[in-house]
Structure formats: C-alpha cells, structure tokens
Amino acid sequence: MTTAERPPWIRKESKNPDPKLADKSPGFKILSDNRQAGHNYFLMDRFEAGMVLTGTEVKAAKDGKVQLKDAYAAVLNNEAWLINAHISQYSHGNRENHPPVRNRKLLLHRREIDKLLGHTRDKGLSLVPTKIYLKDGRIKCELAVAKGKKLHDKREAERARTAEAEARAEMRRRG
C-alpha cells in the first residue's frame, strides 16, 4: 500500500521500531559528585552500593540537595554505613522530615562487605564516597577504596595536569 492509497486515519509507519530508543533518558543521573576525593586520595577499587533512605531523603536527593564533602564509609558490625553525608531537608516535607546528617546504611553483597572490611584493615586505606547517582529509578552510591595523598603527591598531580593541558592546547593550535 503506497502513501497515496493509505486512508488518512491510518498512522504512518514509524522509522524506529524499538520504543525504548525513543526515550531520551539514559537512566543515569549524577546527583552529587565528590571531586575533592580525587584530589585528596589515590582512588583504587570502586563499588556500587544501594542506600537505605526515607521518603523525604529520596525527594531531596532527586532535587540534588546532597553534599559528600566530609562523608566517608565504614564497616561497622558487618554492615556498611555512609557516615557524615548531608542530605538537606525536603522543602515540602512536614514534621516527619528527616535529619540532614545521619548514618545511612549501604546495601552491598556479603562478599563485597568482607572485601571492604579487609581493605580498611590495611594501614592507610579508607572508604570514600565518590558520587551519588540515580540509576534506573534507584539511588546508588559509588564507594572507592582510597589511600590518602601527601602534599608532594598533590603538587605532582597538579603539575602533571597543567602539563597535559598545555600539551592539549598546543595540539589544538597546530591542528
């Protein structure tokens, strides 16, 4: 049937047969990023953990009201916890609103918790949250096993970063 023969009430055939491809949302949105972690620590292994949150915490986090600046993670009583993370109170919350800073339980598999416990027992290693993001409607926290940088390490990283930026600028100018 050609387009001239097709009655007007029949829809045109779609060029995209997969309805999922029409959806523009990738299912991954960063809610908070801890950029200081990369500056202050050598980040090694990374883990993805779910979080136990209340309703107003979820709504505030989806609004981007999350601060990871002083936050860290720890394994206490064979459970993983996010400590010192600040999720602001929800603006439309009532008297049942959550406290902004509290310990939040992280959801990991037993093997992952045991691995993290083994890493943190080592000298100088800690668990640092690097980002909190929304993945397929669920709020996740990315943890990194980290070793603290000394001042000379930070200076060396800064020198390397500026040298790389200068090299990129020179390549752009020539190319």
Side-chain angles (χ1 to χ4, degrees):
M1 180 181 268
T2 65
T3 54
E5 298 170 353
R6 184 181 306 139
W9 62 83
I10 295 179
R11 285 191 205 150
K12 293 181 181 178
E13 295 169 13
S14 140
K15 292 180 183 176
N16 185 0
D18 189 6
K20 290 181 181 177
L21 293 179
D23 188 21
K24 298 286 185 209
S25 65
F28 186 85
K29 178 185 173 190
I30 295 177
L31 303 174
S32 179
D33 197 6
N34 189 358
R35 292 190 211 128
Q36 285 276 313
H39 179 71
N40 293 331
Y41 299 96
F42 293 110
L43 302 176
M44 296 181 277
D45 291 343
R46 294 177 189 257
F47 295 89
E48 180 183 78
M51 296 176 68
V52 177
L53 300 173
T54 64
T56 55
E57 284 176 327
V58 171
K59 290 182 177 202
K62 284 184 178 181
D63 283 347
K65 307 281 195 238
V66 183
Q67 181 72 273
L68 291 175
K69 187 177 179 183
D70 298 326
Y72 64 97
V75 178
L76 308 169
N77 299 329
N78 286 326
E79 293 179 337
W81 293 88
L82 181 63
I83 301 169
N84 231 9
H86 186 281
I87 299 178
S88 297
Q89 290 192 340
Y90 183 54
S91 59
H92 303 301
N94 55 12
R95 61 189 172 90
E96 301 296 326
N97 222 334
H98 65 277
V101 178
R102 70 174 184 91
N103 295 350
R104 294 170 175 90
K105 190 173 184 179
L106 296 173
L107 304 173
L108 291 160
H109 290 283
R110 170 60 44 207
R111 273 179 273 122
E112 292 175 325
I113 292 174
D114 292 340
K115 191 183 247 186
L116 290 176
L117 188 59
H119 282 310
T120 55
R121 281 189 189 142
D122 293 344
K123 183 182 175 202
L125 295 181
S126 59
L127 297 175
V128 178
T130 54
K131 64 179 87 160
I132 290 182
Y133 53 93
L134 196 62
K135 180 179 176 184
D136 298 328
R138 305 208 186 268
I139 295 179
K140 305 282 186 178
C141 178
E142 183 183 77
L143 296 175
V145 177
K147 182 174 175 62
K149 283 186 182 178
K150 304 277 193 256
L151 184 61
H152 60 85
D153 293 329
K154 292 179 188 179
R155 287 180 183 154
E156 186 179 321
E158 182 64 31
R159 267 189 240 111
R161 197 175 307 123
T162 56
E164 186 178 318
E166 289 171 0
R168 254 185 281 130
E170 184 66 27
M171 293 297 287
R172 259 184 304 210
R173 212 174 31 215
R174 289 186 184 199

